[in-house]
Amino acid sequence: MTSAPMAVSPQAAATESGTAVLHLPKTSDSPALLRIRHSMSHVLAMAVQRLFPKAQVTIGPWTENGFYYDFDNPEPFTEADLKAIRKEMLKIIGSRLPLERIEVSREEAERRISEQNEPYKLEILAGLQEPITLYTLGESWWDLCAGPHVANTSELNPKAFALESVAGAYWRGDEKRAQLQRIYGTAWETAEQLAEHQRRKQEALRRDHRRLGTDLELFSIEDEAGAGLVFWHPRGARMRLLIEDFWRQAHFDDGYELLYTPHVADIELWRTSGHLDFYAESMFGPMQVDERQFQLKPMNCPFHVLTYASRLRSYRELPIRWAELGTVYRYERPGVMHGLMRVRGFTQDDAHVFCLPEQIGDEILRVLNLTERILSTFDFRQYEINLSTRPQKSIGDDAVWDLATRGLIEALERKGWSYKVDEGGGAFYGPKIDLKIEDAIGRLWQCSTIQLDFNLPERFNLAYVAADGSRQRPIMIHRAIFGSLERFFGIMTENYAGDFPFWLAPEQIRLLPVTDEVLPYVESLQQQLQQQGVRATIDRSGDRLGKLIRNGEQMKIPVLGVIGAKEAETGAISLRSRRDGDLGALPLATLINRAVAANQQRLPGLGDG
RNA sequence: GCCCUUGUAGCUCAGUGGUAGAGCACUCCCUUGGUAAGGGAGAGGUCACGAGUUCAAAUCUCGUCAAGGGCUCCA
């Protein structure tokens, strides 16, 4: 991955709370860390070969947060092995061994590698250009390596490294070649940095949407139903509805119409669209119905195309903007499913724009604006944008590609967003813009995509009647903003760490009766809140207040309302907000006004009224 | 699909060739308690599924399924 600067939207704000955190440099930012990590991987390899003489070395590069080394070993490494290897590494570091760079001839390198019986190294050597360098580690161990390294293992902090995991990896990343054992490690300059790195890993674990999904009762995936199939529980479903309602409104506001299309269609449709040829391995198998075969849909595009083609269209109707929350099913290979992030059944926020060639720029800009409006509502304000241009193998003529690519660029420039260009990275049927969002802990996620398509209009022979009465081919734009509702929901859950903004929380206000005596009053409060569309519940468990508070906080309810004799007398509710702390006692009318306003404006909290 | 690890109560986990365990959650009882866990009792499990070894399998072996960490893939 290149270290190009992050493209930032002009409105980007997202200020973090002022707590000072230890800066953790990435390897590519720090020449010192690069040497440490690179050398650490050599120390790892040496330790492994001391303990496992049959282990053959392959490659051992640094990563942005650490390093790894791939070995060919008859037996996989276990957790216990990792401990032993770590001990051996401590010995090597403690021995203060020098690392030395030696330049050798190709023949010399070949001879030395052959003596050691290291076939992988020989293969690496064959691909190397002069000068060929070895790095020794102490008297007897060396590795073919370009460096750079520290001069002596005494520069490696024995308190600032850890071996993190073992994993399988293919030689040269090719699943047809040997499976190697990869050991991942991390190394830093100081023990404090290592501790911070481990704290962040914990933080990511704390935010894991799979854990939060269970704890907050949002969704589940059931063995009996199958892998990669999502069950939305009431709380998650309520959130999804709120997201969908907002999405629909935003689309109507922006000149879209919504479609509903079937989940299956005659397999001939998929032959026409070409999916049967180039997408077959990602589709669920066909099903026989009467004399025909039907195919579960992996994409919505052909259905929107059929809708367009259902009658003759005039240039006066264009652009046509059609969107659908379309549920699709794709065959994902076993072992690749991951919570909500990678599933077999999911709902795309899919839309297709059919327009005239000269409308491309305006339409793309419109999509960029809508994308920003929708994503920023979920507090995603930092984007990294990629423009992918025509690949070698592609269809369509040069003039159309030029026009389309210029349209994408023009829209990005008008939007004022910086972007990277992936030359030749487009699909065979058209150029595209991909947008990655950055979450609260700095991870990038690709969700939105805007893609021009010269293929489907051709295959389905789409046309509009131009001003001169001739039949012309419309431009087709595919676009998705969330990508998949499931995946976006997972990303958003991790971004908020389960602390959802007030407007989106499935349970917004939980009323906590201090004693049973006030229950009738609490019930009347709940009813009044509900009538105004505020999602209020009552904790009827009968536990003491401390317990009610604890349970409410654990479920990350945005606002807890305490009602005892005092409140019943004064007609108020004592409010405790997760975001803003103690809000004091408010009259019901004030609470309703604030809550309704927060819902309408999609605010993170009740605000100051 | 490949490598490794894991699968025991709703959740988090302990156990180990010889009758299945804890905490939380759940139900009931006592307690009517004011801002992060009041007390007691009870219920709840073909130990993922299938086969094999054994007098005996949750435990050992094999297979299947699923999950986790990676690899690969991701129009």
Side-chain angles (χ1 to χ4, degrees):
Chain A
M1 187 166 171
T2 61
S3 56
M6 165 90 53
V8 173
S9 80
Q11 289 85 343
T15 47
E16 279 300 313
S17 59
T19 46
V21 283
L22 188 62
H23 174 65
L24 286 186
K26 291 196 179 296
T27 307
S28 52
D29 304 329
S30 164
L33 270 182
L34 188 150
R35 285 169 197 273
I36 287 171
R37 289 171 177 168
H38 208 164
S39 300
M40 203 58 96
S41 85
H42 280 216
V43 172
L44 167 62
M46 179 173 171
V48 166
Q49 289 201 309
R50 275 191 185 175
L51 298 175
F52 304 88
K54 284 183 185 155
Q56 291 176 326
V57 290
T58 66
I59 54 165
W62 51 267
T63 63
E64 283 298 2
N65 286 312
F67 59 91
Y68 66 82
Y69 209 112
D70 287 348
F71 301 93
D72 191 343
N73 194 49
E75 294 293 315
F77 299 113
T78 63
E79 291 294 314
D81 291 337
L82 281 194
K83 280 196 182 137
I85 293 166
R86 183 189 144 77
K87 265 192 170 167
E88 195 62 32
M89 289 173 71
L90 285 171
K91 271 192 219 165
I92 294 168
I93 294 169
S95 312
R96 309 175 76 84
L97 300 180
L99 286 97
E100 207 176 322
R101 179 180 186 275
I102 303 175
E103 206 170 308
V104 295
S105 68
R106 185 170 294 274
E107 295 68 33
E108 167 77 359
E110 244 174 55
R111 188 184 58 72
R112 292 183 66 155
I113 295 169
S114 299
E115 272 174 17
Q116 307 263 354
N117 187 31
E118 295 281 7
Y120 296 97
K121 282 290 168 192
L122 267 188
E123 194 176 328
I124 293 169
L125 177 66
L128 290 182
Q129 307 250 323
E130 270 73 7
I132 289 161
T133 56
L134 312 177
Y135 272 82
T136 61
L137 178 49
E139 298 282 303
S140 56
W141 201 86
W142 55 269
D143 197 358
L144 187 66
C145 183
H149 285 280
V150 298
N152 190 289
T153 59
S154 61
E155 293 173 46
L156 303 174
N157 185 342
K159 291 195 165 77
F161 86 97
L163 297 183
E164 300 189 300
S165 61
V166 194
Y170 298 102
W171 171 235
R172 296 263 149 115
D174 183 346
E175 65 180 305
K176 296 196 175 56
R177 305 193 66 175
Q179 175 114 28
L180 308 173
Q181 296 295 317
R182 175 171 299 178
I183 298 179
Y184 281 97
T186 188
W188 302 86
E189 290 185 78
T190 65
E192 289 71 34
Q193 285 178 328
L194 175 65
E196 173 64 13
H197 167 74
Q198 289 172 333
R199 194 195 63 77
R200 287 190 195 179
K201 277 178 63 175
Q202 281 299 115
E203 174 65 16
L205 216 60
R206 187 180 74 81
R207 289 170 174 268
D208 193 312
H209 74 282
R210 293 166 299 185
R211 160 159 292 282
L212 289 168
T214 305
D215 289 352
L216 304 183
E217 299 179 28
L218 302 175
F219 68 89
S220 67
I221 291 165
E222 301 294 331
D223 260 23
E224 290 92 330
L229 301 171
V230 180
F231 289 71
W232 294 77
H233 294 211
R235 302 171 83 86
R238 180 60 85 111
M239 293 178 66
R240 175 168 167 169
L241 278 169
L242 289 159
I243 295 169
E244 290 182 358
D245 286 346
F246 163 61
W247 181 92
R248 285 192 191 98
Q249 194 53 55
H251 279 71
F252 285 135
D253 292 349
D254 202 39
Y256 283 78
E257 288 299 330
L258 298 190
L259 305 183
Y260 288 103
T261 62
H263 288 209
V264 293
D266 192 303
I267 204 159
E268 285 309 311
L269 176 66
W270 304 101
R271 206 180 303 284
T272 307
S273 71
H275 288 93
L276 222 47
D277 298 325
F278 58 74
Y279 205 67
E281 61 188 32
S282 295
M283 300 198 293
F284 277 59
M287 47 188 132
Q288 191 74 35
V289 180
D290 298 332
E291 300 303 305
R292 299 166 80 175
Q293 283 199 311
F294 282 76
Q295 175 63 52
L296 206 47
K297 72 173 167 184
M299 291 190 186
N300 303 296
C301 330
F303 293 83
H304 291 198
V305 167
L306 283 187
T307 310
Y308 178 95
S310 65
R311 68 163 166 82
L312 196 55
R313 305 280 168 184
S314 155
Y315 74 100
R316 292 170 189 273
E317 293 179 69
L318 305 185
I320 284 174
R321 307 184 192 96
W322 286 339
E324 177 179 12
L325 292 169
T327 302
V328 298
Y329 291 87
R330 296 185 182 174
Y331 173 74
E332 296 286 355
R333 301 161 82 187
V336 304
M337 265 78 76
H338 181 89
L340 295 179
M341 305 296 196
R342 189 85 177 267
V343 291
R344 282 181 171 164
F346 59 98
T347 300
Q348 295 182 302
D349 64 321
D350 212 352
H352 298 91
V353 178
F354 301 91
C355 65
L356 306 172
E358 59 266 31
Q359 292 171 331
I360 293 176
D362 284 350
E363 286 306 310
I364 301 291
L365 179 60
R366 235 186 143 90
V367 172
L368 295 180
N369 284 330
L370 180 62
T371 301
E372 182 180 41
R373 175 179 170 201
I374 290 179
L375 292 180
S376 63
T377 300
F378 299 94
D379 295 303
F380 293 111
R381 297 192 170 84
Q382 307 256 27
Y383 314 124
E384 187 182 283
I385 293 151
N386 254 297
L387 171 71
S388 302
T389 61
R390 185 173 196 170
Q392 296 258 312
K393 275 194 173 176
S394 53
I395 60 155
D397 56 59
D398 294 351
V400 183
W401 273 89
D402 279 0
L403 184 75
T405 309
R406 274 208 315 278
L408 294 177
I409 292 172
E410 177 202 313
L412 285 168
E413 309 270 319
R414 278 162 71 192
K415 184 67 189 154
W417 283 354
S418 55
Y419 57 93
K420 284 188 289 185
V421 178
D422 181 4
E423 247 4 294
F428 74 85
Y429 51 76
K432 63 173 177 180
I433 294 171
D434 291 322
L435 184 147
K436 291 189 180 114
I437 53 181
E438 185 184 354
D439 73 10
I441 55 176
R443 296 173 301 184
L444 293 174
W445 302 93
Q446 199 213 303
C447 295
S448 314
T449 176
I450 307 169
Q451 196 142 4
L452 268 74
D453 188 344
F454 311 140
N455 182 45
L456 280 185
E458 201 71 36
R459 281 177 170 268
F460 284 89
N461 199 24
L462 294 189
Y464 62 89
V465 180
D468 62 3
S470 64
R471 301 286 167 101
Q472 303 291 331
R473 189 81 71 216
I475 297 289
M476 182 178 182
I477 303 169
H478 305 258
R479 52 109 281 208
I481 292 171
F482 297 137
S484 133
L485 276 178
E486 283 75 3
R487 184 162 178 276
F488 183 79
F489 190 87
I491 294 166
M492 184 199 70
T493 298
E494 300 201 358
N495 186 50
Y496 287 128
D499 269 311
F500 299 113
F502 184 82
W503 75 271
L504 191 56
E507 186 180 349
Q508 298 184 291
I509 302 178
R510 183 180 285 187
L511 302 174
L512 313 179
V514 178
T515 67
D516 288 347
E517 274 78 74
V518 294
L519 250 180
Y521 175 62
V522 174
E523 279 164 358
S524 77
L525 293 179
Q526 183 205 20
Q527 217 168 32
Q528 293 175 72
L529 284 160
Q530 294 276 30
Q531 275 166 7
Q532 300 300 316
V534 181
R535 299 182 290 281
T537 60
I538 301 173
D539 189 331
R540 298 169 182 275
S541 65
D543 285 313
R544 293 212 157 83
L545 184 59
K547 184 68 167 290
L548 302 186
I549 301 263
R550 180 183 157 83
N551 287 342
E553 293 293 349
Q554 281 186 334
M555 286 304 279
K556 301 181 192 284
I557 313 297
V559 176
L560 299 176
V562 176
I563 298 115
K566 268 187 297 184
E567 288 80 6
E569 214 166 283
T570 58
I573 306 174
S574 294
L575 296 172
R576 178 187 160 118
S577 156
R578 260 182 90 73
R579 196 171 282 254
D580 306 310
D582 188 356
L583 298 181
L586 290 188
L588 176 66
T590 311
L591 172 61
I592 287 180
N593 285 341
R594 286 204 199 175
V596 167
N599 280 346
Q600 277 170 354
Q601 297 163 48
R602 299 191 180 85
L603 300 178
L606 281 182
D608 303 319

